[in-house]
Amino acid sequence: MPDDLLRYRDEFPILQRTTYMINNSLGAMPRGVYDSVREYCDVWATRGVRAWEEKWWEMTREVGDEIGAIMNAPSGSVSILLNVTSCQAVIASCFDFSGPRNKIVYSDMNFPSIMYFWEAQRSRGARVHMVRTDDGIHVPTERILDAIDEQTLLVPVSHVVFRSSYIKDAKAIIEKAHRVGALVVLDCFQSLGCVPVDIQALNADFAVGGVLKWLCGGSGTSYLYVRPDLAKKLEPKLTGWFAHEHPFDFEVGATKYSEMPYRFMQGTSNVPGFYTALPGLRIIREVGVDRIREKSKKMTARLIELADQRGWKVNAPRNPEVRGGTVAIDMPNSQEVCQELLKRDVLVDFRPKAGVRFSPHFYNTMEEIDRAIQTVDEILAAMAVTAK
Ligand SMILES: Cc1ncc(COP(=O)(O)O)c(C=O)c1O
């Protein structure tokens, strides 16, 4: 069967020069980014300060809606911030940890930055409860559900685990949290753009992530979705003039909070980041995450099959339904193998406790999967010869 998604390969220049399988870290740059960034320069050069009023102020909403469309979020419900860690800070600033409901529940499979942030909130009264993994791939859902109780305030968890690509049962976690009055911050960094996310069906309270991985959008653009009925009630203390109802009145004194998407912002946005984000977001929307997911499952299955044939340890779920877009493989000398792969233009990365992470996206071919693993064979053979 011809692979219709391969017609997008020409949109990504780096695919002509490398075997690009590092989408869990940084997606390939779409060709359209050159024109988009030029447009930013042209607007700045020709319209100067008028660009704020004519375009840039509203671009937050435009980019937020592009991202929102991929997760079925209502228009205007997604704010743009710099990174996922600062999204946690804005969320944390909406709450008070001095009362009995001050428990933060997450698993040790979270991205470390999220843990570093919440651990640091202990000094502000937050009680952090970390649920642990046994196998380094997943944490049993029941274990997370059991930890969420009447004293739980927030549950900041990854939808797809960065280390193993395990897809958490977000629905079960959100349902349990809501039953006991807690709120869930779903980190969709490793899911959105690769695994279908319907944020309204999930009924998540917050969703965060960035565009630089599976959304092929570059750095400095992260999203914060807040459930619209909840957003109205929250008043972030990490705030600034962008979140004011009348920012250009420059009123003195306490803020009057605006509506979403500006309500959770602080100061001047990273406008160049908007321009780098849009081309990738538009391609992902056009391709459609369902088609991406279908192909991704085949590619990750092939990676596992090839690793199994060689007896290498696979640190990814075997069940395709709970496996995201990445397969981490711990072959002999993984770290050195990774360095050699990079030298040979097979772009992957290495993570301790995981191995070499292969993250193909919709624009990769099955031949590239086979070639990447054959390149590992060649590297290991060369290492064996040198060792003799
Ligand atoms: C699941 C997840 N969350 C968060 C981050 C990083 O967040 P930040 O935008 O703060 O750098 C990553 C980066 O790899 C990630 O995989």
Side-chain angles (χ1 to χ4, degrees):
M1 266 247 298
D3 181 350
D4 187 40
L5 302 191
L6 294 183
R7 69 191 168 91
Y8 290 94
R9 278 180 74 82
D10 286 349
E11 297 299 322
F12 298 90
I14 201 163
L15 303 185
Q16 283 163 25
R17 286 184 289 277
T18 69
T19 303
Y20 201 83
M21 285 193 199
I22 190 157
N23 298 284
N24 55 340
S25 182
L26 180 67
M29 189 196 86
R31 195 157 42 92
V33 171
Y34 285 118
D35 288 339
S36 195
V37 171
R38 172 162 283 283
E39 189 192 326
Y40 165 67
C41 296
D42 287 346
V43 170
W44 184 13
T46 58
R47 302 306 297 157
V49 73
R50 291 169 294 189
W52 280 110
E53 200 180 332
E54 291 168 1
K55 190 162 175 69
W56 293 344
W57 187 273
E58 272 296 312
M59 264 185 106
T60 288
R61 184 185 293 278
E62 183 187 346
V63 176
D65 281 352
E66 282 286 343
I67 295 167
I70 301 171
M71 58 163 91
N72 188 32
S75 173
S77 63
V78 177
S79 232
I80 303 299
L81 300 178
L82 268 188
N83 54 55
V84 165
T85 313
S86 58
C87 292
Q88 308 290 314
V90 176
I91 295 167
S93 83
C94 297
F95 301 98
D96 173 19
F97 304 106
S98 62
R101 192 183 277 279
N102 59 1
K103 186 173 163 190
I104 310 295
V105 174
Y106 58 70
S107 91
D108 59 353
M109 303 298 281
N110 260 2
F111 189 77
S113 193
I114 312 300
M115 303 194 239
Y116 304 154
F117 174 80
W118 287 107
E119 281 288 334
Q121 305 316 304
R122 284 182 190 271
S123 64
R124 300 180 55 233
R127 265 188 314 124
V128 176
H129 181 107
M130 186 162 76
V131 181
R132 293 186 185 275
T133 174
D134 295 328
D135 61 1
I137 292 178
H138 83 306
V139 173
T141 306
E142 284 306 320
R143 212 174 277 177
I144 299 179
L145 301 187
D146 287 348
I148 303 173
D149 58 19
E150 262 77 18
Q151 302 201 319
T152 305
L153 179 62
L154 291 165
V155 184
V157 283
S158 299
H159 187 200
V160 171
V161 171
F162 83 103
R163 224 187 275 276
S164 66
S165 207
Y166 173 69
I167 304 177
K168 286 217 176 85
D169 188 346
K171 198 160 180 48
I173 294 171
I174 292 164
E175 277 170 9
K176 171 71 196 275
H178 289 179
R179 269 204 302 284
V180 297
L183 300 170
V184 174
V185 183
L186 195 63
D187 182 345
C188 298
F189 219 144
Q190 295 289 356
S191 56
L192 198 65
C194 178
V195 173
V197 178
D198 183 335
I199 217 65
Q200 293 192 81
L202 286 172
N203 199 17
D205 306 292
F206 303 93
V208 296
V211 300
L212 77 158
K213 302 176 191 292
W214 302 99
L215 297 170
C216 301
S219 63
T221 304
S222 286
Y223 50 88
L224 168 60
Y225 160 83
V226 188
R227 215 180 64 224
D229 58 304
L230 175 67
K232 286 191 184 58
K233 296 182 210 149
L234 296 178
E235 298 193 337
K237 309 300 175 294
L238 180 47
T239 189
W241 70 294
F242 264 52
H244 196 284
E245 202 178 40
H246 305 295
F248 295 101
D249 288 356
F250 300 102
E251 284 175 12
V252 175
T255 192
K256 292 184 193 124
Y257 288 97
S258 68
E259 300 294 315
M260 281 292 273
Y262 299 93
R263 193 180 181 89
F264 292 83
M265 295 177 71
Q266 300 84 46
T268 311
S269 337
N270 174 25
V271 178
F274 295 160
Y275 284 86
T276 56
L278 283 171
L281 289 169
R282 288 179 181 141
I283 292 176
I284 297 292
R285 269 184 81 179
E286 188 182 306
V287 177
V289 178
D290 287 341
R291 287 206 292 167
I292 293 175
R293 173 75 175 142
E294 196 187 329
K295 177 164 174 184
S296 169
K297 279 191 202 163
K298 288 185 196 145
M299 291 191 290
T300 54
R302 178 74 181 148
L303 279 163
I304 292 176
E305 183 189 339
L306 294 171
D308 283 346
Q309 282 169 9
R310 289 156 175 81
W312 298 335
K313 183 164 189 274
V314 173
N315 286 318
R318 296 269 159 183
N319 175 0
E321 298 314 315
V322 294
R323 185 174 68 233
T326 302
V327 177
I329 303 177
D330 209 1
M331 67 278 292
N333 304 314
S334 289
Q335 193 159 8
E336 293 76 23
V337 167
C338 181
Q339 282 158 7
E340 259 317 301
L341 283 168
L342 293 173
K343 283 188 203 148
R344 296 177 191 208
D345 285 333
V346 178
L347 302 195
V348 288
D349 68 7
F350 170 83
R351 287 289 177 272
K353 299 188 206 154
V356 180
R357 297 190 303 174
F358 295 85
S359 292
H361 211 345
F362 64 96
Y363 38 58
N364 286 113
T365 65
M366 282 300 192
E367 291 72 37
E368 283 179 311
I369 305 265
D370 288 8
R371 213 177 318 130
I373 298 298
Q374 278 156 20
T375 311
V376 176
D377 289 339
E378 287 160 23
I379 292 168
L380 288 174
M383 281 177 174
V385 170
T386 318
K388 274 183 193 159

